[in-house]
Amino acid sequence: MTAAPADLLIDRPAVTDGATLWRLAKESKTLDLNSSYSYLLWCRDFAATSAVARGADGEPVGFVTGYVRPDDPTTLLVWQVAVDAAHRGHGIAAALLDGLTARLAAERGITGIETTITPGNTASERLFTSFAARHGADLAREVLFPAGLFPDGPHEPEVLYRIGPFTPTTSH
């Protein structure tokens, strides 16, 4: 597992974290921003399949949101990953992803993850490519949603990254 800085706690999100997750997503400048309401709901309904990294003050400095696919309960769909700009470059996103998948492998038996990444989002491409390499997992890519499917204006295609099967590490 990739270790986060020692002063960070990897935890489940609480409803009271919803506003901070919305702010982190907004400030990322790369994520599709959803309504603040959706982040509150996410922290309530999908806390068990998501993770936050908390700084010394207890406030989230990064998050991974996800859900277990209803038609494939061995697969975690990672919806969004964000880390506060002041905390980037320290392995927090990798530690969040490793911690979340290890927890869900133990609790729910997941053996794979899926996520979508727009072309040119090199930080996400590196995060998920390195995750696959760390866990000895296969990585397949295909366009899941072509640009023309998005009804609200120009949107790049969403490329599906399918990673697995993997065996999460449990060491820190």
Side-chain angles (χ1 to χ4, degrees), residues 9 22 52 97 122 130:
L9 170 67
W22 177 83
V52 294
L97 192 56
T122 56
S130 67

Side-chain angles (χ1 to χ4, degrees), residues 24-36:
L24 290 171
K26 180 179 179 184
E27 292 174 356
S28 76
K29 308 255 191 265
T30 58
L31 295 176
D32 287 339
L33 185 64
N34 298 283
S35 71
S36 58

Side-chain angles (χ1 to χ4, degrees), residues 37-111:
Y37 177 68
S38 69
Y39 291 90
L40 294 170
L41 282 175
W42 201 276
C43 289
R44 184 192 77 166
D45 294 342
F46 297 105
T49 55
S50 299
V52 294
R54 297 184 189 283
D57 63 359
E59 286 298 308
V61 297
F63 71 85
V64 173
T65 52
Y67 62 87
V68 174
R69 297 224 16 234
D71 63 344
D72 182 0
T74 64
T75 300
L76 171 69
L77 185 286
V78 174
W79 179 49
Q80 290 188 319
V81 178
V83 174
D84 182 78
H87 292 86
R88 290 183 194 146
H90 300 285
I92 294 171
L96 278 163
L97 192 56
D98 285 350
L100 178 60
T101 56
R103 175 166 44 93
L104 293 178
E107 293 175 0
R108 298 180 183 224
I110 68 159
T111 59

Side-chain angles (χ1 to χ4, degrees), residues 32 118 145-158:
D32 287 339
T118 54
F145 300 126
L149 287 182
F150 292 91
D152 57 346
H155 194 291
E156 291 186 277
E158 290 285 346

